[in-house]
Amino acid sequence: MDNKKGIGLALSGGAARGFAHIGVLRAFEEAKIKIDYVSGSSVGALIGLFYAAGKTPDEMMQFAASIQSRKLNIFSTFQFGKTGIDYVEKIVKQHIEQKTFEELEKKLFVCVTNFQSGKFEIIDKGEILPAIRASAAIPIKFKTQIINNIPYIDGGVVNNLPVEPLRENCQIVIGVSINPIIKKTKKMSLRKKIMRLVELFLNENEALRRKMCDFHLEIKGLGEIDFEDYHCARAIHDIGYKEARDFLEKKRFCF
């Protein structure tokens, strides 16, 4: 017997571009589309947590506006891999009352990468914070996170659009990607080249999983948005909102 039910939403990672997910969620709520399950990697897991905890898009934007860029930017320190991820934890503790997955209003799946096996894993039970810390632990920025004596890093390294747990539980799966590839011809600095490599890697990482979605929305307007543009939260949100509205109005999402 097939016990799948409801709608699942997979949110990809992409650092500051993740604020576009808030705009997408706003558009879906306005369209009365009820999301039952949420999965995410990295910033997608963080935004997914806020949504699963019952936070509104307006409340999420309040948290977004308070972000201190220098504490999340990859190039804000030369001590790569040595910086703690306590700031992300502080954000969660300030805004999220629930401590465990079981307390959340919606089912949440957090994708992490097992640094020993090289495989992705999904965490959906027990304490929330260790899972979020691990899922957002960008390798060259944050320390490896230890859970049950196993080292974990950013979930997006192996699976940046974790649709698998949704495919197992939901009738309908929607994927949202925030790393579009646009043609870039201008000369790039070393920093820009590294960011471009990450962008290409993440986009290819998601390719097969997009085909696993019943509906897939790529936020194409984010191509010129830097991964570290945390100060542009409202503009990034607006791009996600507009493209989600267009997506819905064109009836590509109908069931």
Side-chain angles (χ1 to χ4, degrees), residues 24 26-33 174 217 241-254:
V24 171
R26 186 186 300 278
F28 278 24
E29 286 197 352
E30 290 179 357
K32 308 299 182 186
I33 296 172
I174 309 166
L217 169 59
Y241 175 74
K242 181 183 183 300
E243 294 197 24
R245 283 285 303 272
D246 292 343
F247 176 69
L248 296 171
E249 289 172 3
K250 290 178 181 177
K251 298 183 178 179
R252 284 180 286 177
F253 181 78
C254 55

Side-chain angles (χ1 to χ4, degrees), residues 70-236:
R70 64 183 179 80
K71 295 191 176 183
L72 293 177
N73 287 353
I74 295 173
F75 291 93
S76 63
T77 175
F78 290 101
Q79 295 180 321
F80 292 159
K82 297 182 180 181
T83 305
I85 199 169
D86 296 340
Y87 183 58
V88 174
E89 178 173 326
K90 180 180 178 181
I91 290 172
V92 173
K93 286 182 174 180
Q94 284 180 338
H95 299 276
I96 305 296
E97 296 179 0
Q98 298 93 327
K99 307 297 183 185
T100 67
F101 284 88
E102 291 76 11
E103 296 175 67
L104 297 172
E105 295 184 11
K106 298 179 185 293
K107 182 65 177 178
L108 174 66
F109 300 99
V110 172
C111 184
V112 298
T113 297
N114 184 316
F115 202 46
Q116 290 181 341
S117 70
K119 305 292 185 180
F120 78 87
E121 296 179 11
I122 300 296
I123 302 177
D124 66 339
K125 296 178 178 63
E127 293 184 46
I128 296 169
L129 270 175
I132 294 295
R133 285 175 62 104
S135 187
I138 301 171
I140 62 173
K141 172 66 176 179
F142 298 125
K143 290 181 180 179
T144 298
Q145 300 298 299
I146 306 299
I147 302 176
N148 296 327
N149 296 318
I150 297 175
Y152 288 91
I153 59 174
D154 194 309
V157 171
V158 174
N159 186 347
N160 202 48
L161 188 68
V163 300
E164 287 85 348
L166 302 180
R167 197 71 278 172
E168 293 175 5
N169 292 278
C170 307
Q171 288 180 319
I172 297 172
V173 174
I174 309 166
V176 183
S177 297
I178 55 176
N179 300 293
I181 300 300
I182 63 172
K183 188 174 182 179
K184 295 186 178 181
T185 58
K186 295 181 180 180
K187 187 175 180 179
M188 298 181 188
S189 64
L190 175 60
R191 176 188 174 282
K192 287 290 186 180
K193 287 180 179 178
I194 293 174
M195 291 298 184
R196 180 63 166 177
L197 288 172
V198 172
E199 184 178 70
L200 295 173
F201 161 74
L202 291 177
N203 193 278
E204 186 62 24
N205 172 307
E206 297 177 20
L208 292 177
R209 293 180 174 91
R210 296 180 184 191
K211 298 177 182 179
M212 297 171 64
C213 300
D214 296 297
F215 302 92
H216 179 260
L217 169 59
E218 181 176 57
I219 311 300
K220 298 184 181 298
L222 297 175
E224 295 292 351
I225 298 294
D226 195 292
F227 286 114
E228 298 187 339
D229 282 343
Y230 293 100
H231 60 286
C232 299
R234 174 53 63 178
I236 297 171

